[in-house]
Amino acid sequence: MNANSIIQVKDLHKWFGMLHVLRGVSFSVSQKEVLVVIGRSGSGKSTMLRCLNFMEEPSSGTISVESHSVTAAPGLRIDRQQVLAMRLSMGMVFQEFNLFPHMTVLENVIEGLRTVKRIPKEKAIPMGEKYLDKVGLLDKRDVHPIRLSGGQKQRVAIARALAMEPKVMLFDEPTSALDPELIGEVLDVMRKLALEGTTMLVVTHEMGFARDVADRVIYVDHGEIIEEGTPEQIFDHPKYEGTRMFLEPIRRVQEAK
């Protein structure tokens, strides 16, 4: 594993029955890098992300996160201790917010600290408040999720993931469930995290974010990485026809402005 890599994925495959969703995916994420994954719906982007923390068990391939590594293969037993260690290194933000409705915002944020890391409540509370402040929601600490907008709920979900102090943040279409007017507040938090040097792997349809914030962009199609490069290379000078066709509608919208 490259000394500067936090995540390294080699020859990752995922089958759902007869459906071959991931077809030999290999990539790495370096420390403080923002890697953005783009592609059509159903191309395997979210499955790839879910395989990284074994929410979906890979059919085959090797996933390494820092010093921990797990190899999957037919008939091979997965090392659950390594999986647990890898999960603790990664914070995950989903399309849906998955907040506990009966808990306050602060209680949601510190739940993982208390149940997974076994941190006492009196020590967890200031940690939770720190990350709520980071996402601009400290004033909502005692509110229940039902009183929040979708954008606020997603920012709480980001604070919850950050509170675990992971080495890398995974974002799976974090704005796809939001109304258009609420998307900006979530992307602003993600931009701030990127500027602070947070290592991030982001699956998104927000091409403006990908162009502005990514260090590197990967285009996925039919479970394969078709092209990767800097945002300028991918958006302005794509090499492959599939990438060009995917980006063409975006280019037309930009030219019409």
Side-chain angles (χ1 to χ4, degrees), residues 144-204:
H144 284 79
I146 196 171
R147 304 286 299 275
L148 302 179
S149 70
Q152 289 171 330
K153 289 176 184 176
Q154 193 60 294
R155 285 152 62 196
V156 172
I158 293 172
R160 177 180 58 189
L162 289 171
M164 299 295 285
E165 299 186 334
K167 300 296 185 181
V168 58
M169 287 286 288
L170 310 179
F171 292 88
D172 183 14
E173 301 279 11
T175 60
S176 66
L178 300 179
D179 294 331
E181 68 271 17
L182 301 177
I183 290 172
E185 66 186 73
V186 173
L187 294 181
D188 285 346
V189 169
M190 294 171 66
R191 286 189 175 94
K192 179 182 176 184
L193 293 176
L195 287 171
E196 293 173 351
T198 306
T199 306
M200 297 164 63
L201 175 55
V202 183
V203 170
T204 186

Side-chain angles (χ1 to χ4, degrees), residues 69-174:
S69 186
V70 175
T71 295
L76 184 66
R77 178 180 291 182
I78 295 292
D79 187 332
R80 294 296 168 188
Q81 289 300 114
Q82 289 289 306
V83 168
L84 179 60
M86 287 163 57
R87 282 176 173 164
L88 288 172
S89 298
M90 295 183 282
M92 184 95 173
V93 179
F94 303 90
Q95 299 177 26
E96 303 295 337
F97 324 117
N98 299 324
L99 300 179
F100 294 111
H102 63 287
M103 292 183 177
T104 65
V105 162
L106 180 61
E107 287 169 341
N108 268 280
V109 171
I110 67 174
E111 178 67 9
L113 293 173
R114 298 190 63 202
T115 59
V116 178
K117 289 196 169 183
R118 306 289 184 186
I119 294 175
K121 185 176 181 180
E122 63 271 17
K123 290 186 177 181
I125 285 174
M127 295 173 70
E129 290 175 335
K130 170 186 173 182
Y131 289 105
L132 280 175
D133 191 37
K134 183 183 280 285
V135 301
L137 287 174
L138 184 56
D139 61 324
K140 302 291 186 184
R141 69 189 293 283
D142 298 319
V143 171
H144 284 79
I146 196 171
R147 304 286 299 275
L148 302 179
S149 70
Q152 289 171 330
K153 289 176 184 176
Q154 193 60 294
R155 285 152 62 196
V156 172
I158 293 172
R160 177 180 58 189
L162 289 171
M164 299 295 285
E165 299 186 334
K167 300 296 185 181
V168 58
M169 287 286 288
L170 310 179
F171 292 88
D172 183 14
E173 301 279 11

Side-chain angles (χ1 to χ4, degrees), residues 219 225-228 237-246:
Y219 173 67
I225 294 175
I226 303 300
E227 188 164 2
E228 66 178 285
H237 309 288
K239 294 179 182 178
Y240 296 96
E241 182 64 22
T243 317
R244 284 193 289 270
M245 290 176 64
F246 173 73

Side-chain angles (χ1 to χ4, degrees), residues 34-38 210-211 214-219 227-231 234-235:
V34 179
L35 176 61
V36 174
V37 183
I38 63 173
R211 180 186 279 274
D215 296 301
R216 192 158 48 99
V217 177
I218 286 176
Y219 173 67
E227 188 164 2
E228 66 178 285
T230 65
I234 297 298
F235 288 101

